[in-house]
Amino acid sequence: MLEGKFDQASLLKKIIDSIRDSVKLCNFNCSQNDGITVQAIDDSRVLLIALKMDPGCFQEFRCDRDMVLGLDLESLGKILKQGNNEDYLTLIAEDNPDSLLIVFEDKKKDRISEFSLKLMDIDSDVLTIDDMDNDCSITMPSADFSKIARDFKTMSESLQIIVTKESVKFKAEGQIGSGSVIFKPHTDLDNPDESIKIDMNQPVNLTFGAKYLNDIVKASTLSSTITIKLTDKAPALFEFKLPSGYLRYYLAPKFED
Amino acid sequence: ARKQSNLMSFFKKK
C-alpha cells in the first residue's frame, strides 16, 4: 500500500503544472526509500523529465511494496484543481491498484474531498542517464532565467547560451533583429538565492529550442534558483530543487546543419 | 539553419 501525504497540495500542483505540457502520460514509480520518481520523455524526444520526490517531500510517507502508477497528467491536473493550495493532499493506492485515491483535507474546516483517478498501463522507454562531467555549471535566480526564456521566445526560435569564466551570455537572433543578456558572477550575502554562480572547466556555446526552454521555466514556481549544467555537444541539464529531491529537465541541443 | 538533435542519440535505452 502507498500512502503519501503532502503538507500543502500546492507542491504537487506546481510539479504537475511544470511537466504536463511536455508529457501527457507517465509512470510514477513508488518505493519506500526513494519516494516517488518519474522519468518521462516528450513525444519529439528532445526533452526528458526526471522527477524525484523523496520521502522528505511528504509529511507522511509509506510504501510497503514497490509500485508503478500509470497516470494521465491532464486528468490528474483536473483533479488537483479541485483542492485548495493550503490543503493537505494524500495519495493512496492499494497493492496492484487500478485507481489512485486523492484526498484533500482543509486544515481549518472539517472538509474532506476524495477523488479516484483511473490508472493506465503505460509502456514508455526508460533511458539510462549517467552522471555526466559537465563543462559548466550555472546557478542563478529562476525568475531571471524564466524572464529571458519567455522574452527571447518572442524574438527567436532558438536561444544561445555562451559561458566563459567571467560571464554567462544568453543570445537570440530573429527576423526583427538580435538581443543578448549578460550575467556576471555575483554573491548576494543578504539574499543568497539572488546570487549568480558560474563554475567553468571549459567555455561552452550551445543553442536550444526556445519552445522547450519555455516549458522548462514553468518549474520556476518550485524553486527560487535554477542550476544549469552544460557540456559541449551534449544535452543540458536544468535543475530545480524540491524541498527534498529535484525536478530535472534534460534538453537536447540544436546543431549547425 | 540549426537542426534540433534527439535525446536518443545521447542516452541509451534501459
Side-chain angles (χ1 to χ4, degrees), chain A residues 13-83:
Chain A
K13 281 185 179 206
K14 286 177 188 171
I15 289 171
I16 301 306
D17 283 344
S18 304
I19 61 178
R20 67 177 174 162
D21 292 332
S22 306
V23 289
K24 190 171 155 22
L25 304 176
C26 60
N27 284 321
F28 276 42
N29 304 292
C30 312
S31 76
Q32 186 62 46
N33 290 333
D34 292 333
I36 298 180
T37 59
V38 178
Q39 193 200 88
I41 311 165
D42 85 312
D43 287 342
S44 60
R45 313 243 156 162
V46 171
L47 184 65
L48 181 143
I49 289 162
L51 167 67
K52 193 162 189 288
M53 288 186 276
D54 286 332
C57 275
F58 301 83
Q59 196 184 56
E60 290 164 30
F61 185 84
R62 63 172 270 217
C63 182
D64 308 330
R65 210 179 288 177
D66 289 1
M67 64 170 82
V68 179
L69 307 174
L71 294 170
D72 178 328
L73 296 185
E74 204 179 310
S75 310
L76 177 60
K78 282 179 189 169
I79 290 179
L80 293 179
K81 278 211 174 70
Q82 318 270 341

Side-chain angles (χ1 to χ4, degrees), chain A:
Chain A
M1 186 181 176
L2 164 79
E3 200 171 325
K5 181 177 184 179
F6 293 96
D7 180 52
Q8 306 245 344
S10 57
L11 178 61
L12 188 62
K13 281 185 179 206
K14 286 177 188 171
I15 289 171
I16 301 306
D17 283 344
S18 304
I19 61 178
R20 67 177 174 162
D21 292 332
S22 306
V23 289
K24 190 171 155 22
L25 304 176
C26 60
N27 284 321
F28 276 42
N29 304 292
C30 312
S31 76
Q32 186 62 46
N33 290 333
D34 292 333
I36 298 180
T37 59
V38 178
Q39 193 200 88
I41 311 165
D42 85 312
D43 287 342
S44 60
R45 313 243 156 162
V46 171
L47 184 65
L48 181 143
I49 289 162
L51 167 67
K52 193 162 189 288
M53 288 186 276
D54 286 332
C57 275
F58 301 83
Q59 196 184 56
E60 290 164 30
F61 185 84
R62 63 172 270 217
C63 182
D64 308 330
R65 210 179 288 177
D66 289 1
M67 64 170 82
V68 179
L69 307 174
L71 294 170
D72 178 328
L73 296 185
E74 204 179 310
S75 310
L76 177 60
K78 282 179 189 169
I79 290 179
L80 293 179
K81 278 211 174 70
Q82 318 270 341
N84 294 319
N85 285 338
E86 308 297 316
D87 288 354
Y88 292 120
L89 165 61
T90 310
L91 304 176
I92 300 166
E94 302 295 332
D95 291 339
N96 304 312
D98 53 16
S99 66
L100 171 68
L101 188 65
I102 299 162
V103 181
F104 298 99
E105 290 171 77
D106 192 298
K107 286 176 181 141
K108 290 181 193 128
K109 301 168 207 157
D110 288 330
R111 196 204 64 221
I112 296 174
S113 328
E114 282 191 0
F115 298 89
S116 164
L117 175 64
K118 284 183 195 155
L119 297 175
M120 307 171 72
D121 279 327
I122 298 167
D123 187 19
S124 64
D125 290 334
V126 178
L127 303 184
T128 305
I129 300 165
D130 302 321
D131 273 337
M132 294 182 291
D133 286 331
N134 303 111
D135 291 338
C136 304
S137 169
I138 305 149
T139 298
M140 63 185 290
S142 58
D144 287 340
F145 182 64
S146 180
K147 179 168 166 52
I148 290 165
R150 283 184 279 116
D151 292 351
F152 279 4
K153 183 171 178 279
T154 65
M155 282 187 68
S156 174
E157 286 179 3
S158 301
L159 179 69
Q160 212 178 332
I161 307 180
I162 304 154
V163 187
T164 62
K165 203 171 184 179
E166 295 83 28
S167 70
V168 52
K169 183 174 178 178
F170 301 95
K171 191 175 161 194
E173 283 175 37
Q175 291 205 326
I176 61 161
S178 65
S180 66
V181 180
I182 296 174
F183 288 91
K184 292 184 176 167
H186 144 89
T187 305
D188 189 327
L189 291 174
D190 295 329
N191 303 298
D193 286 357
E194 290 294 312
S195 300
I196 293 173
K197 193 171 165 234
I198 301 174
D199 289 321
M200 193 206 75
N201 298 320
Q202 254 188 156
V204 292
N205 182 343
L206 287 162
T207 302
F208 300 100
K211 167 188 172 302
Y212 298 102
L213 292 170
N214 264 260
D215 284 334
I216 291 170
V217 298
K218 285 170 186 157
S220 299
T221 56
L222 285 164
S223 170
S224 54
T225 63
I226 179 173
T227 298
I228 305 169
K229 293 185 177 178
L230 302 168
T231 304
D232 190 34
K233 298 185 177 65
L237 166 60
F238 299 85
E239 181 177 79
F240 298 87
K241 290 260 188 303
L242 299 180
S244 181
Y246 54 74
L247 176 55
R248 290 177 180 165
Y249 296 85
Y250 292 87
L251 177 60
K254 285 183 164 188
F255 292 120
E256 263 333 321
D257 212 357

Side-chain angles (χ1 to χ4, degrees), chain A residues 45-46 125-128 233 252-257, chain B residues 1-8 10-14:
Chain A
R45 313 243 156 162
V46 171
D125 290 334
V126 178
L127 303 184
T128 305
K233 298 185 177 65
K254 285 183 164 188
F255 292 120
E256 263 333 321
D257 212 357
Chain B
R2 285 174 186 273
K3 205 176 162 194
Q4 178 63 61
S5 65
N6 190 302
L7 282 175
M8 310 309 267
F10 300 101
F11 298 134
K12 285 186 205 122
K13 270 193 209 179
K14 236 178 206 172

